[in-house]
Amino acid sequence: MKWTDLDENWCPVARTLSLVGDRWTLLILRDCFLGMSKFDEFATSTGATRHIVSDRLKRLVEAEILEKVAYSERPKRFEYKLTDKGNEFGPALMTFRDWGKKHLPVRRPTHA
Amino acid sequence: MKWTDLDENWCPVARTLSLVGDRWTLLILRDCFLGMSKFDEFATSTGATRHIVSDRLKRLVEAEILEKVAYSERPKRFEYKLTDKGNEFGPALMTFRDWGKKHLPVRRPTHA
DNA sequence: TCCATAAAGTTCTTATTTGGAACTTGCTGC
DNA sequence: GCAGCAAGTTCCAAATAAGAACTTTATGGA
């Protein structure tokens, strides 16, 4: 079964997962909430390959979770901004954050 | 980059994703909250292959999100129960559910 | 002029994960 | 002793992801 097949599933959790249910997508969204908006920022911050970043941003724009807006003509440069729909996903990431903070503490500190 | 490399990441969202950040894992957890507990229930309900179900359950048990308990000796049969740690993940699934209900309505009704 | 750098992607090849189906094991009941 | 169930495992083919290099459009020097 392909995960895009979940998009008409009876369960709203499954439908949500069909769209954002993979780690790279969710990490990119986290970065959006941290204020990032550019392609290379996402690539560097998440550690995903440029290929993946490209693919996931495309999906997110298609789903109207992000909006692609030009911040420079010549050379054409774009940034990605959360739409209202995207912003409303914030609480979900906060539950992930809280659960992670409580149940998955870091053993060895990471230096920034 | 492999997603298990995220488990010591500075970001609690990333650490959470390293553990549960894929659609099958999250669907299995959804099923647990719906009261399911057996291998075949997960396989049927999620549509994941038995291979995947086996792998994900192993991970979840290892992470102490689920607990594998025998409900029958001879033949040995097991069920998977949410631990306290697992139960506390409930709010995350609820935010997914709520977001899905609001932003991803089903177009054509699925007949149960 | 020529070279370096930057952003935002795309392309390529190789490795890893999935998908799908069949097989296994230990028992129960007919 | 054959069929069926539950809980997996094994196998191979197909899909996805990883990693690095390349492209395009433009700016800032030396």
Side-chain angles (χ1 to χ4, degrees):
Chain A
M1 193 206 248
K2 302 217 295 269
W3 63 304
T4 47
D5 293 350
L6 291 172
D7 70 346
E8 292 287 353
N9 196 283
W10 61 273
C11 172
V13 175
R15 296 200 300 280
T16 300
L17 291 174
S18 83
L19 210 51
V20 299
D22 87 302
R23 53 192 168 292
W24 302 129
T25 303
L26 290 165
L27 280 179
I28 286 172
L29 285 175
R30 175 205 62 179
D31 285 350
C32 291
F33 282 98
L34 291 177
M36 299 183 189
S37 65
K38 311 230 181 67
F39 190 94
D40 280 20
E41 287 179 317
F42 297 132
T44 303
S45 163
T46 62
T49 62
R50 311 177 72 70
H51 192 103
I52 301 276
V53 174
S54 173
D55 177 77
R56 296 306 193 277
L57 286 174
K58 220 166 273 169
R59 271 189 222 274
L60 288 168
V61 168
E62 216 169 284
E64 297 180 284
I65 289 171
L66 296 182
E67 196 184 359
K68 182 177 183 173
V69 297
Y71 68 91
S72 150
E73 305 291 325
R74 271 188 341 285
K76 273 270 186 196
R77 290 293 142 79
F78 303 95
E79 65 183 334
Y80 298 85
K81 301 241 174 214
L82 287 163
T83 60
D84 289 347
K85 187 172 170 182
N87 264 305
E88 290 191 43
F89 194 71
L93 288 171
M94 288 185 229
T95 58
F96 270 57
R97 179 200 60 192
D98 294 341
W99 190 87
K101 276 173 89 161
K102 175 158 183 192
H103 295 290
L104 303 171
V106 275
R107 264 152 290 274
R108 43 188 148 93
T110 50
H111 33 291
Chain B
M1 193 207 248
K2 302 219 295 272
W3 63 305
T4 45
D5 293 350
L6 292 172
D7 71 346
E8 293 287 352
N9 196 282
W10 62 273
C11 172
V13 175
R15 295 200 301 279
T16 300
L17 292 173
S18 82
L19 210 49
V20 299
D22 88 301
R23 55 191 165 293
W24 301 129
T25 302
L26 289 165
L27 281 178
I28 286 173
L29 284 175
R30 174 205 63 181
D31 285 350
C32 290
F33 281 99
L34 291 175
M36 299 182 190
S37 65
K38 311 230 180 69
F39 189 97
D40 280 20
E41 287 178 318
F42 298 132
T44 302
S45 164
T46 62
T49 62
R50 311 178 71 69
H51 192 102
I52 301 276
V53 174
S54 172
D55 177 77
R56 296 306 192 275
L57 286 175
K58 221 165 275 172
R59 272 190 223 274
L60 288 168
V61 168
E62 215 170 286
E64 296 181 284
I65 289 171
L66 296 182
E67 195 182 0
K68 183 176 184 174
V69 296
Y71 69 90
S72 150
E73 305 290 325
R74 273 188 335 284
K76 272 268 185 197
R77 289 292 141 79
F78 302 95
E79 64 184 334
Y80 297 85
K81 302 242 173 211
L82 287 163
T83 60
D84 290 346
K85 187 172 170 182
N87 264 303
E88 290 190 43
F89 195 72
L93 288 171
M94 288 184 227
T95 58
F96 269 58
R97 179 200 59 194
D98 294 342
W99 190 87
K101 277 174 88 160
K102 175 158 184 191
H103 296 289
L104 304 171
V106 276
R107 266 150 292 273
R108 42 186 149 93
T110 50
H111 33 292

